Amino acid sequence: MLVDFRPHTRLRGAQPVDLVKSVVPVVEALGEGAVDLAKVRVVSDWVQYRENFREVVDLRPILHSAPAGGAVPVPMGVREDDLEVAVDVRRSHDVPLKEVTAALLRSEPDRVLLESWGRGSESVVWDFNALYWSALELWEKATGRGYEQALPGGESDARNRAAARELVDGLFAVWDRLSESNALPDELYVVELGVGNGGQAKVFLDVFAERDREHGRGYYRRLHYLMCDYSQHVLDLARETVADHIAHVSSFALDATRPRTSLGFLQYKVFLVYVSNVYDNLPTDEVAHLGGRTYCVQTRAYLAQADAAELAEAAGASTQDLPGLVHKLLRLGPALLPEAAPAHFPDVESAVAFWQRAWSALRLEERYVPLLGLDTYTLAPGLGGELLRPLVESGADIRMHVNNGALASFVDSLMLLHPFGRLVCHDLFVTDIEGYRTHFRGPGKYDGSVVNWVNGPLLAHVGRRRGFEVHYERFRHRSGGNIVTMTAQVRD
Ligand SMILES: C[S@@+](CC[C@H](N)C(=O)[O-])C[C@H]1O[C@@H](n2cnc3c(N)ncnc32)[C@H](O)[C@@H]1O
């Protein structure tokens, strides 16, 4: 048996985790159960997100072959476990851990499944995420809170004026140099992906106009700021926020994972691609290297029976109706749901309440499925799984995010950059692979959206293979906080 206690920093401090109380009851339950103890892993995490997709104890089967057939070659000398028992030690002291674990080992709990097993990036949670941004107004009206209050620090760092000033001054320095050699294009393009309420755009544009007045080279007159988002509602909000600069702003409804579908005409012309708190909100898989074998983490969304019963009762439905109603909600949104299912939702408010309760109750089952080989796995269009090798095979067991959506967005955005352009991204980055061995990195829930930390070493590896220098630095303009700034630009 392998016991992996990952949040070791929690063993010290004012209220240290009691290692014995948080691990031994689980081991005792396993000892009294029927599982082969030689093939079990016990993994303890500190799940820092109050709203998340996990129970205090979860069982994760470790498959020996892919369910869709196809023998998976087993490398020599690997340890083939059958089961992982995952414990959230932040909450485990509140539950009878041994009884909870024993009950799970005895029989599968009753659950209402919302989907079949699949890669994390394909889960229904991403439909919930997209719905949150498209129907944000209704969600915020019901909660009385803006989305920014759920972000780290309660507001986006992209609204920090000192950071915007530094960015603008950097652009001006590049433009001055190009201008001196008559190489500065007439049109100066800046693209922002994932604009939210437009606060980031407004600060950038305000600072830009102010610095331009002082600088006196007329760059503001030539500026084109392109706000991009997949939510029309968000784009409309952002347009209002930047009303003072509207002559310099255009909006594009596009998927941030494929910016060139709409912005192809800007290939090699953009001086700044500006992204903040978006990569951590894009679909991702997780992969793991356990005992010498590589696995894809498959997930399946469900509602626990007790939550499902309550939800069904509130909607005047049976628990069997729930998957259909949830999928109808995701397809139509809460504003149209009352028309499509009037017997269950008399008005928009009841549809929003259903949405919020379903989201809050939603959990993810997980299992490990062996990968045939890294070359059979695609990270993002044009990016083969072999790119993962130096990271997943970096020593002891590891589980990490692939951030497929962020990778796709990153690589596609690099193609937009002018040779002297930069991509600047403020986000939750894991900057050292070791960070995956000690901390839980998601998924968590921020209000109605999903958050996963971003695999910095993987993005850097991919960027460098494409000739870009990728640099990470803790966000400098606020003390504390976890935000890191990534900068990518063509290597000299
Ligand atoms: C957390 S907000 C960040 C807003 C702003 N950048 C900030 O820092 O305050 C995430 C934004 O990304 C957008 N977004 C998420 N996934 C997207 C996708 N696949 N394509 C385009 N926009 C997306 C959301 O609609 C939302 O506006």
Side-chain angles (χ1 to χ4, degrees):
M1 180 188 300
L2 190 144
V3 177
D4 186 359
F5 189 89
R6 301 170 69 215
H8 61 82
T9 52
R10 300 274 171 186
L11 294 171
R12 295 205 177 110
Q15 287 180 308
V17 170
D18 186 329
L19 182 67
V20 173
K21 284 193 187 143
S22 68
V23 174
V24 171
V26 175
V27 176
E28 283 173 352
L30 282 164
E32 291 170 18
V35 293
D36 180 350
L37 294 181
K39 296 191 164 201
V40 183
R41 306 164 45 80
V42 178
V43 178
S44 303
D45 274 309
W46 179 276
V47 178
Q48 72 266 35
Y49 298 100
R50 284 194 184 278
E51 295 291 324
N52 60 68
F53 300 92
R54 284 178 55 169
E55 301 292 353
V56 177
V57 181
D58 283 320
L59 299 192
R60 301 174 183 150
I62 304 176
L63 274 54
H64 295 185
S65 59
V72 180
V74 182
M76 303 269 285
V78 299
R79 196 188 67 241
E80 273 202 294
D81 289 333
D82 292 335
L83 180 69
E84 181 169 279
V85 184
V87 185
D88 174 10
V89 295
R90 185 174 66 81
R91 294 178 288 167
S92 61
H93 54 84
D94 287 339
V95 301
L97 209 45
K98 182 173 172 185
E99 287 76 7
V100 169
T101 311
L104 288 170
L105 289 168
R106 259 195 314 275
S107 60
E108 276 190 30
D110 263 355
R111 289 172 171 175
V112 174
L113 298 176
L114 298 179
E115 63 185 349
S116 317
W117 287 110
R119 288 176 173 199
S121 62
E122 292 162 354
S123 169
V124 75
V125 303
W126 300 106
D127 299 322
F128 273 96
N129 190 67
L131 179 63
Y132 174 72
W133 294 113
S134 67
L136 184 64
E137 193 176 13
L138 291 172
W139 181 286
E140 290 186 342
K141 191 170 146 211
T143 59
R145 283 170 12 119
Y147 78 83
E148 267 194 83
Q149 284 167 272
L151 293 178
E155 94 167 20
S156 171
D157 281 324
R159 291 216 271 136
N160 184 295
R161 285 182 71 86
R165 188 180 163 129
E166 193 175 288
L167 204 54
V168 166
D169 287 355
L171 279 173
F172 284 8
V174 169
W175 292 344
D176 288 350
R177 275 202 308 278
L178 287 173
S179 183
E180 276 151 27
S181 50
N182 288 325
L184 187 65
D186 289 340
E187 323 274 6
L188 304 175
Y189 291 106
V190 171
V191 167
E192 185 190 339
L193 299 177
V195 294
N197 57 19
Q200 168 179 358
K202 178 169 166 47
V203 169
F204 178 89
L205 289 161
D206 284 352
V207 170
F208 191 106
E210 187 183 298
R211 297 296 287 158
D212 186 54
R213 275 193 299 276
E214 292 157 12
H215 194 68
R217 298 236 181 159
Y219 292 145
Y220 182 69
R221 195 174 37 78
R222 296 157 73 176
L223 177 70
H224 295 267
Y225 193 94
L226 281 63
M227 298 195 304
C228 308
D229 206 285
Y230 68 175
S231 158
Q232 189 56 51
H233 166 68
V234 158
L235 284 172
D236 294 343
L237 259 186
R239 274 189 86 76
E240 276 176 38
T241 309
V242 298
D244 292 346
H245 303 279
I246 210 68
H248 298 275
V249 176
S250 350
S251 326
F252 288 80
L254 57 74
D255 188 335
T257 63
R258 283 174 281 127
R260 276 192 306 156
T261 47
S262 305
L263 302 182
F265 67 101
L266 288 181
Q267 187 148 313
Y268 308 132
K269 292 187 178 155
V270 177
F271 280 98
L272 173 65
V273 175
Y274 194 20
V275 201
S276 158
N277 296 314
V278 179
Y279 283 1
D280 65 359
N281 191 228
L282 296 175
T284 180
D285 291 345
E286 285 182 77
V287 291
H289 197 67
L290 309 175
R293 293 190 79 176
T294 308
Y295 299 85
C296 186
V297 180
Q298 289 195 345
T299 66
R300 182 164 76 165
Y302 72 91
L303 303 169
Q305 196 58 39
D307 293 329
E310 273 182 32
L311 191 63
E313 193 187 340
S318 70
T319 51
Q320 290 96 310
D321 296 332
L322 284 178
L325 290 176
V326 166
H327 286 282
K328 213 170 256 180
L329 162 77
L330 294 173
R331 209 172 52 250
L332 301 174
L336 291 180
L337 194 58
E339 280 176 42
H344 303 293
F345 308 106
D347 49 31
V348 175
E349 285 71 32
S350 59
V352 172
F354 176 76
W355 171 24
Q356 294 185 324
R357 289 176 75 163
W359 177 243
S360 169
L362 193 142
R363 300 282 178 274
L364 288 172
E365 284 179 11
E366 294 178 347
R367 68 178 187 184
Y368 294 99
V369 177
L371 275 176
L372 269 170
L374 283 175
D375 57 339
T376 63
Y377 176 66
T378 302
L379 309 182
L383 296 179
E386 282 292 338
L387 286 159
L388 285 173
R389 191 176 299 283
L391 307 176
V392 284
E393 296 182 7
S394 60
D397 289 349
I398 195 157
R399 172 174 163 160
M400 65 172 69
H401 288 95
V402 179
N403 304 103
N404 313 68
L407 272 176
S409 180
F410 176 62
V411 167
D412 213 40
S413 301
L414 294 181
M415 298 293 289
L416 295 175
L417 288 182
H418 182 279
F420 290 96
R422 275 194 295 169
L423 184 149
V424 174
C425 176
H426 307 299
D427 221 317
L428 293 167
F429 284 101
V430 178
T431 53
D432 176 356
I433 282 299
E434 198 51 32
Y436 280 109
R437 296 200 172 93
T438 52
H439 287 79
F440 177 77
R441 303 301 187 171
K445 299 176 188 172
Y446 277 166
D447 268 354
S449 69
V450 184
V451 58
N452 283 290
W453 288 53
V454 185
N455 190 330
L458 179 58
L459 260 73
H461 180 50
V462 167
R464 285 176 193 137
R465 294 284 292 261
R466 290 175 177 241
F468 284 80
E469 191 49 62
V470 181
H471 173 73
Y472 293 100
E473 184 186 12
R474 191 159 278 285
F475 183 72
R476 263 191 284 137
H477 305 277
R478 176 157 68 100
S479 54
N482 290 318
I483 293 293
V484 164
T485 303
M486 175 183 80
T487 308
Q489 58 193 39
V490 175
R491 222 180 356 239
D492 285 339

